[in-house]
Amino acid sequence: MSAPVSESSTAPLAILQQVFGYPAFRGAQEAIVEHVQSGGDALVLMPTGGGKSLCYQIPAIARHRGGCGVAIVVSPLIALMHDQVGALEEAGVHAAFLNSTLGFEAVQRIEREMMSGRLVLLYAAPERLTTPRMLAQLDSLSERGLLSLFAIDEAHCVSQWGHDFREDYLGLNVLHERYPAVPRIALTATADTHTRADIIERLALHDARLFISSFDRPNIRYRVVEKDEPRKQLLRFIGDEHEGEAGIVYCQTRKKVDETAAWLAEERITALPYHAGLDAGVRQQHQNRFLRDEAVVMVATIAFGMGIDKPDVRFVAHLDLPKNIEGYYQETGRAGRDGEPADAWMAYGLADVVNQRRMIDESPAGDEFKRLQRGKLDALLALAEAHDCRRVRLLGYFGEASGPCGNCDNCLTPPEVWDATDAARKLLSCIYRFAHASHGPRHFGAGHLIDVLRGKTTDKVAQYGHERLSTYGVGADLAEMQWRGVLRQLVALGQVVSEGEYNTLALTDSARAVLKGEVQMLLRVPSAAPKRGRVAKSASRAAKPASSAPADLDSAAQARYESLRAWRSEVAREHNLPSYIVFSNAALAEMARRAPGSLAELGEVSGVGEKKLEAYGQEILRVLQAG
Ligand code: ADP
Ligand code: ZN
């Protein structure tokens, strides 16, 4: 909506409309922009996709127009600066980045632009910012009043407790000490109070105004399935619900990433691996394909994803349990940034619980750190085991109260629960009997335990005379899956630990209360395969063919949409940018729907700013007429 405003307007709404082509601010954006524009410090907590970038870009533009020079944006990932700067230049905002990928001449050219005050935004990695050379340049800018603001993106990287800690972020407090008059805005999508306190402390943001948005991502549907045959479950999920769409599959180890990507490729899904063990060139290439193509599935460790702002990621799948809820929420938050329906899907099983517990136990960290990690894992396990609304639990973890969401697996298909109190007692006492048997090993793994409970006759049972145990066969009425569920729950709750090379089981002190029947345990009834299929179907949008237009377009509009997309791909290739930076799918859909006949009408479409209208307007009108 490009209302005719003067180039030099510094009103936030005018800039939003003129430069970015959006009709209105979202949520707290306007308040944040006004606060920073008028020189205040801010700490912004907003979920992924909430629209953090505009919170510093608009004040930067406004202050630049007011003669305040250049805004410095600290961003941890040099690999993504190119696209961010590309998007600004497309919108007609003079921006640049400084990083190690640039040659000497390019660096000099950009430094000249910066020192002259012509540049509106400069992106740089933290380690770059704190070099003597850069600080000298900032000194000079600051003396001339040409340092408009500092934006510190992904500010949680400063927290040593968090999962993305970057040493170089610690040096950023120098900005405040050296340039106390320059406003600073720190932004993050990590919301827990611990990290927040760390950011405030380490970046000296005590006087900053705090802006906390709701962390809800209502378009993301959360689902946790019991791990049975994880690969098949994943394939069914992608095949049934996300064929021809972009997604991310997270695995814990590099090896598993490689294997899963190769296997998906065999199943004719365009899948690429990404992890820190791959050559930097390969990593960059895979990332570029993911950003630029429409239907790539990235199979990755958590090394992948920070700063990825691809808006049309339709699903995030976890084949392994993430470390904690913060990590889970960040990772799943990469789905559906465009506000369209998206899925967060996780397969979860006993081995996940055992692995994560063990990783903490065996880590060289101090006791305090371990205690904190255990607490975080417990919260995540409670989420995975929950039979009530997942979103209520997620938001509750971040201190936000809400009601049942109607858009998670448990809301959509409330699970049946059964009283497992008695079964849990039987299981625990069976472990106890093993440990107190007169001969043979004292500890056994899950398989043998369940065999004994179900009264099976196996070689091992015969070898150790376990058919004589009082717990032999006491659980014949329950299926193996149910027993696994009971055991998983007990491990999740910490009443049973799994130890050593053979994952043998032992009781902890806290098992006593359960043994005595003092703790009631309600478990979800494991869903048999056909039922799971139904859940998956009902919880999905209707499967749709690859690259289809939005369903609400009539056939003529669909044809226009497809021509616009083809045109956009051309432009994106020419400019070496992802297509969504040229125009979002939503903007193309609106053009196809409205079929504007003039530049003025085209300018009404959300996402069409003045610069883009000028650069592409005529071509788009032509494509629309021809299409
Ligand atoms: P974040 O950094 O918080 O994850 P972004 O800044 O990348 O989110 O914004 C997410 C998406 O929302 C982008 O495509 C952005 O252009 C869009 N967006 C942000 N603010 C608005 C707005 N006020 N109106 C329309 N779209 C917006
Ligand atoms: Zn729900």
Side-chain angles (χ1 to χ4, degrees), residues 219-223 225 237 240-242 341-345 406-413 531-542:
N219 59 317
I220 298 181
R221 179 169 291 174
Y222 300 96
R223 192 184 331 166
V225 303
F237 166 68
D240 286 359
E241 302 177 36
H242 293 289
D343 279 301
W345 182 95
N407 193 27
C408 71
D409 53 357
N410 288 349
C411 281
L412 288 162
T413 317
K531 187 174 166 210
R532 188 167 45 233
R534 265 209 319 276
V535 172
K537 267 282 183 291
S538 72
S540 77
R541 299 168 291 137

Side-chain angles (χ1 to χ4, degrees), residues 107-287:
V107 169
Q108 283 206 315
R109 185 170 39 78
I110 291 164
E111 286 180 345
R112 268 198 309 277
E113 288 297 287
M114 170 174 80
M115 297 313 286
S116 70
R118 275 196 298 273
L119 206 57
V120 183
L121 292 114
L122 179 84
Y123 285 73
E127 61 274 20
R128 181 107 191 176
L129 213 59
T130 46
T131 57
R133 178 183 174 83
M134 187 80 188
L135 286 174
Q137 288 168 335
L138 294 181
D139 287 349
S140 159
L141 284 171
S142 143
E143 278 156 27
R144 291 179 288 141
L146 289 179
L147 211 43
S148 72
L149 65 88
F150 290 111
I152 301 166
D153 207 2
E154 313 284 0
H156 62 280
C157 291
V158 81
S159 170
Q160 273 158 315
W161 299 103
H163 49 292
D164 289 327
F165 174 59
R166 308 240 161 172
E167 187 96 45
D168 296 309
Y169 264 67
L170 292 177
L172 291 176
N173 56 359
V174 72
L175 299 179
H176 179 55
E177 287 160 17
R178 249 172 129 111
Y179 317 108
V182 179
R184 292 173 305 152
I185 169 171
L187 310 103
T188 177
T190 299
D192 72 309
T193 45
H194 203 100
T195 310
R196 189 195 315 169
D198 248 15
I199 296 174
I200 293 174
E201 189 59 40
R202 298 194 181 273
L203 296 178
L205 285 167
H206 306 279
D207 298 328
R209 199 164 139 198
L210 193 57
F211 293 92
I212 305 180
S213 302
S214 165
F215 266 70
D216 191 14
R217 298 286 310 281
N219 59 317
I220 298 181
R221 179 169 291 174
Y222 300 96
R223 192 184 331 166
V224 181
V225 303
E226 274 167 75
K227 222 181 243 187
D228 182 6
E229 296 168 295
R231 282 184 168 184
K232 279 195 189 146
Q233 289 170 292
L234 175 69
L235 191 64
R236 193 166 350 129
F237 166 68
I238 298 178
D240 286 359
E241 302 177 36
H242 293 289
E243 204 174 329
E245 295 181 330
I248 306 173
V249 177
Y250 281 111
C251 305
Q252 199 170 18
T253 63
R254 298 173 183 185
K255 181 159 169 273
K256 188 157 170 187
V257 165
D258 288 333
E259 288 170 359
T260 307
W263 178 76
L264 283 175
E266 268 169 37
E267 297 289 334
R268 277 189 288 235
I269 288 173
T270 316
L272 298 172
Y274 189 106
H275 56 69
L278 290 172
D279 178 70
V282 173
R283 239 160 37 212
Q284 182 68 39
Q285 190 195 338
H286 288 184
Q287 177 167 305

Side-chain angles (χ1 to χ4, degrees), residues 353-361 377-378 381 491-492 494:
V353 186
V354 170
N355 283 342
Q356 290 288 0
R357 283 235 180 280
R358 183 169 300 181
M359 269 168 53
I360 297 174
D361 291 342
L377 176 60
D378 287 344
L381 295 176
V491 176

Side-chain angles (χ1 to χ4, degrees), residues 389-390 405-406 408 411:
C389 177
R390 310 248 189 225
C405 72
C408 71
C411 281

